[in-house]
Amino acid sequence: MPHEPESALDEIAEPADGAAAEPGGATAVGATAAGGARAAVRRRRIGVLLAVALLAYVIDLVSKLLVVARLEPDHSVIRVIGDIMTFQVIRNPGAAFGMGQAMTVVFTAIAAAVIVVIWRIARRLYSLPWAVALGLLLGGALGNLTDRLFRSPGVFRGHVVDFVSVQHFAVFNLADSAIVCGGILVVLLSFRGSNPDGTSHQPAKAKDDTAAAGTTDRTE
């Protein structure tokens, strides 16, 4: 009489048609389970990236709508910290912090390219810090790209709304801040040897130190 599995666990543990006798069966099952777990981690990291990007984008968009509605009509200035930091609306045709004002279309293309690159990296994203960093970059790039596409004087040539003015520095917006913070985090992660896929690489200086130590050991 054929053996009836008593539970779902028995059914999983007892492969059909003698599969248990096939060499490497357990290894294949383990590899499949590990692959599934890794895919789940990647989905969670992409979820973090999108959540951070959405938060940065919404904060930037809402802040711009508010300052345009409240400050731009009568060119008002709000003093946040005396004359050191103020809020005043400036339409910026250039890049972050007012640079490259004659290259609006170029910076629009660059912002779109950055978004594509971030999304390509996200396909092999398993690191939580990298997810946060890329989310900040994506949200900031989308925030300024929205201005380029939908604000005057026209599509791809729209001027970005800047409103945070720091004395002796520049006028910028929260999308610029997100991009800068994300960029700094990317540099720090790279310096520490962290990769987006969760692996680690040894910084160049550490490699040189390790090689020098190995040479010293061999000569002693």
Side-chain angles (χ1 to χ4, degrees), residues 29-209:
V29 172
T32 302
R38 188 167 173 81
V41 170
R42 184 174 65 86
R43 287 193 294 269
R44 289 196 296 269
R45 298 299 180 255
I46 292 177
V48 171
L49 185 157
L50 294 177
V52 172
L54 180 62
L55 180 62
Y57 177 76
V58 169
I59 291 175
D60 176 69
L61 180 62
V62 171
S63 66
K64 288 174 179 175
L65 292 175
L66 287 174
V67 297
V68 167
R70 301 289 182 86
L71 302 182
E72 191 172 40
D74 55 0
H75 304 286
S76 300
V77 176
I78 297 178
R79 286 176 170 77
V80 181
I81 308 176
D83 291 330
I84 298 175
M85 177 182 288
T86 59
F87 289 167
Q88 52 183 319
V89 175
I90 294 178
R91 298 294 183 121
N92 173 22
F97 310 113
M99 297 182 292
Q101 297 188 10
M103 303 174 66
T104 305
V105 176
V106 174
F107 289 124
T108 302
I110 291 174
V114 167
I115 293 170
V116 172
V117 170
I118 291 172
W119 190 246
R120 288 178 63 87
I121 294 174
R123 293 186 301 179
R124 53 185 179 85
L125 180 64
Y126 297 94
S127 167
L128 180 59
W130 271 96
V132 173
L134 294 177
L136 288 170
L137 291 173
L138 180 60
L142 285 172
N144 284 338
L145 183 60
T146 299
D147 286 355
R148 303 287 188 200
L149 295 177
F150 298 108
R151 295 192 185 276
S152 60
V155 178
F156 298 116
R157 297 181 294 109
H159 293 182
V160 173
V161 174
D162 289 338
F163 63 91
V164 182
S165 177
V166 178
Q167 192 176 35
H168 307 307
F169 180 56
V171 183
F172 55 96
N173 57 47
L174 299 185
D176 296 333
S177 300
I179 291 171
V180 170
C181 291
I184 291 173
L185 185 52
V186 165
V187 171
L188 291 176
L189 290 171
S190 299
F191 181 78
R192 295 189 58 176
S194 174
N195 295 321
D197 62 1
T199 61
S200 297
H201 66 269
Q202 198 173 19
K205 186 178 184 305
K207 289 182 179 179
D208 293 341
D209 293 343

